[in-house]
């Protein structure tokens, strides 16, 4: 195997960490630059002074069929930090009617395993949906989710729409059907073993970030937090330097650069870069579990039909409500909005609506780009016009939505391109 030399990785989110651990595992000298004081990007945990507990910046659902996520946690030795649910079961609570519902995915060898009759999903409607999806697959990338599934169908309102909004963080009338199809193919369509929910044993940081940090240090990587790369220097078709406010790092032609930043940050570093336009936010509200209340099963997740909250995640000491595809952070209406959420949470858990406990409201205004068919064409390719620079990030053209799986996949792909480019250079010099 060719000596991989040095790789400069800009960005310490999951995409950058995936690139870093992959290259470090192959003997590459890794220099990682992160603008903030901590690693993890949007997938981080911190101690909240108001609640006096550790909370995640946002809630993320991982499924057992997310192959790149599983490869990443195995690589950094964090497989025991994920709890894999025994059943492929998804629970829902209909807030207006008070009805508890669930969808359990069976093994794919069973005929019509994805049938939920009480949601209007008979074998015939299932076949119609699959046929519509297949037609979309053949005819191109311009369909949105609501083109394929009737917005008035019960199964759409009960499952497909909540799934699309949470996975793509974009309303179904604008969300790319191709991206949703790719997720379904890799998880639900493969049966129960590929769509078991996986939860962090403690928090996101302990499952995804701290193990990667430790792994990189063991492999001699240099991690430089608090160093914001603001620009790049070029010599011909090569990146020659990384430029910050008070520093400049030279980059040799034999060295490689991976830029693993969010699209708006990547464009700030490289204004000529084409990136998707428009963003959707994600709101997370974390409530302390009130004293005297019986904690719900940990870990668990409940979909909330008919609520302004979409998903309820149950932790050991707090509850987290996630609202996706946000275009308005509710500003002055925040207090009434949170009180309504607490009422819905209480109903979902079968609690009397008592005094609202302390909470933390977090809004990531640019959580993901609008994952529409139009924006798919603007997603960056891993390879760039510069011979020694590559792109990573959940916004790059992975064929998957901007999720943890997509971020890690992009990081692995960029690392693979680094290895291939080093190999090509070595062969050229030998020739």
């Amino acid at each position: 195997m060719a000596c991989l030399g040095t790789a400069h990785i800009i960005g310490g989110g999951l995409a950058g960490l995936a690139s870093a651990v992959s290259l470090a595992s192959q003997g590459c000298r890794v220099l990682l630059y992160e603008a903030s004081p901590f690693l993890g990007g949007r997938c981080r945990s911190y101690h909240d002074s108001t609640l006096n507990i550790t909370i995640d910046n946002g809630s993320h659902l991982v499924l057992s069929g997310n192959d790149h996520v599983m490869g990443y946690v195995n690589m950094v030795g964090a497989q025991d930090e994920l709890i894999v649910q025994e059943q492929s079961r998804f629970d829902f609570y209909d807030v207006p009617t008070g009805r508890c519902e669930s969808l359990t995915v069976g093994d794919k060898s069973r005929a019509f395993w994805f049938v939920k009759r009480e949601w209007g999903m008979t074998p015939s409607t299932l076949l119609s949906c699959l046929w519509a999806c297949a037609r979309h697959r053949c005819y191109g990338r311009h369909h949105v989710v609501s083109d394929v599934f009737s917005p008035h169908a019960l199964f759409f309102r009960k499952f497909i729409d909540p799934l699309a909004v949470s996975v793509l963080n974009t309303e179904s009338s604008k969300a790319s059907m191709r991206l949703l199809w790719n997720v379904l193919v890799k998880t639900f369509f493969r049966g129960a073993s590929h769509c078991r929910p996986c939860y962090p044993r403690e928090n996101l940081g302990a499952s995804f970030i701290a193990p990667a940090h430790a792994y990189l240090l063991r492999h001699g990587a240099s991690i430089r937090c608090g160093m914001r790369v603001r620009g790049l220097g070029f010599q011909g078709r090569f990146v020659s330097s990384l430029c910050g406010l008070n520093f400049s790092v030279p980059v040799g032609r034999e060295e490689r650069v991976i830029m693993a930043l969010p699209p708006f940050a990547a464009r700030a570093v490289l204004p000529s870069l084409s990136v998707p336009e428009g963003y959707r936010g994600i709101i997370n509200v974390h409530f302390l579990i009130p004293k005297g209340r019986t904690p719900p099963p940990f870990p668990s997740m409940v979909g909330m039909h008919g609520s302004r909250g979409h998903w309820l995640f149950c932790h050991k000491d707090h509850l987290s409500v996630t609202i996706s595809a946000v275009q308005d952070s509710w500003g002055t209406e925040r207090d009434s909005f949170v009180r309504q959420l607490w009422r819905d949470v209480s109903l979902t858990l079968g609690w009397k609506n008592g005094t609202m406990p302390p909470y933390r409201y977090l809004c990531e205004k640019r959580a993901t780009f609008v994952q529409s068919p139009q924006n798919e064409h603007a997603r960056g390719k891993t390879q760039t016009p510069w011979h020694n620079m590559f792109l990573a990030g959940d916004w790059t053209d992975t064929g998957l939505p901007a999720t943890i799986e997509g971020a890690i996949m992009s990081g692995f792909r960029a690392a693979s391109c680094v290895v291939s480019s080093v190999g090509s250079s070595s062969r050229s010099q030998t020739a």
Side-chain angles (χ1 to χ4, degrees), residues 318-360:
H318 68 286
L319 308 167
S320 302
V321 182
T322 297
I323 304 97
S324 302
V326 173
Q327 300 182 60
D328 183 355
S329 61
W330 282 288
T332 57
E333 299 179 14
R334 181 181 300 179
D335 286 343
S336 61
F337 168 69
V338 173
R339 290 185 183 280
Q340 180 63 53
L341 278 185
W342 176 247
R343 173 187 170 276
D344 293 348
V345 168
S346 299
L347 289 171
T348 300
L349 297 177
W351 293 347
K352 291 183 179 180
N353 187 21
T355 303
M356 186 173 67
Y359 69 88
R360 171 62 70 187

Side-chain angles (χ1 to χ4, degrees), residues 165-294:
V165 170
S166 59
V167 172
L168 279 72
N169 196 38
T170 304
E171 54 273 30
S172 295
S173 60
K174 292 187 177 181
S176 166
M177 183 60 216
R178 173 179 174 267
L179 293 180
L180 182 61
W181 170 265
N182 289 345
V183 171
L184 292 171
V185 165
K186 292 177 178 292
T187 54
F188 289 92
F189 289 175
R190 294 168 72 184
S193 62
H194 289 81
C195 50
R196 294 192 178 104
C198 305
Y199 303 96
R201 186 171 297 279
E202 294 295 332
N203 51 62
L204 290 173
S207 294
F208 294 105
I209 310 307
H213 190 178
Y215 181 92
L216 290 172
L217 293 179
R218 290 197 304 270
H219 286 75
S222 174
I223 300 174
R224 304 175 180 184
C225 290
M227 290 186 68
R228 181 185 296 276
V229 175
R230 298 177 180 270
L232 303 172
F234 298 95
Q235 288 184 354
R237 286 293 181 182
F238 289 86
V239 175
S240 59
S241 62
L242 312 181
C243 307
L245 194 59
N246 298 308
F247 67 89
S248 178
V249 179
V251 177
R253 289 197 171 196
E254 73 285 357
E255 297 176 345
R256 301 296 184 265
V257 176
I258 295 177
M259 186 158 64
L261 297 173
F264 51 88
R267 177 175 275 177
V269 172
L270 190 61
S272 63
L273 194 64
S274 172
V275 301
E277 299 292 340
Y279 297 91
R280 290 293 183 267
I282 296 177
I283 289 175
N284 284 275
V285 183
H286 304 278
F287 297 98
L288 276 181
I289 295 178
K291 292 182 179 179
R293 298 289 191 187
T294 303

